[in-house]
Amino acid sequence: MINPIKSALATVLLLTSLNAKDIASDEILNKMINVYGGEKNITKMNSYEQVWLIEAKTGNSNGTDHRKVSLPSSLSTELTYPDKKESRTLINGYGVKEFGDKKVVASGPMLDAMKLQLMRLYNPLILKNRAQNIEAASDDANYILTLKEGGLETKYFVSKREYLIEKVVGKLSFGAQSMEFVTLYKNYEKQNGVMMPTTEVKYAGDVNTAVMKLQALKAINN
């Protein structure tokens, strides 16, 4: 006589095994690398400079974001508005924030926020190099790649149809409290042989804080 409990357990284990195989992160990342432009082109675009127009949704002032990226270790952003200017620089885990005539060495949640900002810019090649720290899951429309790095967690929502990153969710903790920072990536175009978004939609929690439009981009030769 078949034991129904053992039979059900075997079915669950089989389905779990099949699901894990279906959403293996290596397979997803390899397809993403191909779609984004191939390993050679992506490597050339690991370092780049961008200018974004910021359409503020929580204030009256629009501005610009001058961004310099060198993956996977550094990011600098210079935010300019009509009435203020602010810069943030992260290099190998060391962060500095400057505003007005003040310069602050980042620590705690401020430093974590900078690290999350860099993590959300990781391309498929950088993610593949961190595959051992990635867990893969899925929903109806996306593969969900969860990367844990230095105590931080970032989720990359990858379209099952296009294999492009459509959303990134970074979780920032403040003691016992936490907040999710969400970026939606839209209007991908090929830039120097690599697919890159030209629109970013920003959320802090449920609040839409900004929509950003790409104005200029150039590769940086290291």
Side-chain angles (χ1 to χ4, degrees):
M1 182 177 180
I2 298 175
N3 186 317
I5 296 178
K6 288 184 178 180
S7 178
L9 179 59
T11 300
V12 170
L13 291 173
L14 175 61
L15 290 173
T16 301
S17 176
L18 289 173
N19 287 338
K21 182 178 180 181
D22 288 344
I23 56 174
S25 62
D26 281 346
E27 182 179 346
I28 297 167
L29 290 166
N30 285 336
K31 289 182 178 179
M32 290 173 67
I33 289 170
N34 182 59
V35 167
Y36 272 74
E39 184 172 339
K40 184 177 180 180
N41 285 332
I42 295 173
T43 299
K44 290 179 180 178
M45 283 297 289
N46 275 342
S47 297
Y48 56 90
E49 188 173 354
Q50 295 175 320
V51 177
W52 294 82
L53 174 66
I54 305 171
E55 300 176 5
K57 298 298 182 181
T58 56
N60 296 322
S61 298
N62 294 337
T64 59
D65 177 358
H66 186 182
R67 184 184 300 174
K68 294 181 181 178
V69 183
S70 184
L71 297 174
S73 59
S74 69
L75 167 67
S76 69
T77 59
E78 186 177 278
L79 306 173
T80 303
Y81 296 94
D83 58 343
K84 61 181 180 180
K85 190 173 184 178
E86 176 184 319
S87 67
R88 306 167 192 164
T89 303
L90 177 70
I91 302 175
N92 294 323
Y94 177 81
V96 174
K97 180 177 180 179
E98 297 182 58
F99 49 100
D101 58 353
K102 295 182 179 179
K103 184 175 181 179
V104 178
V105 176
S107 62
M110 182 189 294
L111 181 59
D112 286 344
M114 291 182 178
K115 291 178 179 178
L116 285 174
Q117 187 176 13
L118 178 60
M119 287 175 70
R120 70 171 171 249
L121 297 176
Y122 285 175
N123 59 44
L125 194 57
I126 300 298
L127 292 175
K128 186 176 180 181
N129 292 336
R130 286 155 169 71
Q132 70 275 12
N133 298 322
I134 290 177
E135 295 181 357
S138 68
D139 59 22
D140 290 342
N142 303 283
Y143 296 110
I144 305 167
L145 304 179
T146 301
L147 172 62
K148 295 182 180 179
E149 187 171 279
L152 299 175
E153 181 179 286
T154 303
K155 294 181 182 291
Y156 304 82
F157 290 74
V158 181
S159 167
K160 288 183 176 180
R161 184 178 62 182
E162 298 179 333
Y163 284 90
L164 297 172
I165 297 171
E166 295 189 336
K167 179 171 71 172
V168 176
V169 180
K171 187 176 181 181
L172 187 61
S173 296
F174 307 85
Q177 298 182 347
S178 63
M179 176 178 286
E180 289 187 339
F181 291 88
V182 178
T183 302
L184 306 181
Y185 294 98
K186 299 183 176 183
N187 302 322
Y188 273 84
E189 295 180 4
K190 190 154 281 190
Q191 307 275 347
N192 294 339
V194 179
M195 293 296 288
M196 300 187 75
T198 62
T199 301
E200 295 183 354
V201 185
K202 306 286 190 181
Y203 288 84
D206 295 327
V207 178
N208 179 199
T209 57
V211 175
M212 301 176 64
K213 303 285 188 178
L214 183 64
Q215 304 297 296
L217 177 146
K218 69 175 181 179
I220 300 174
N221 295 322
N222 292 323

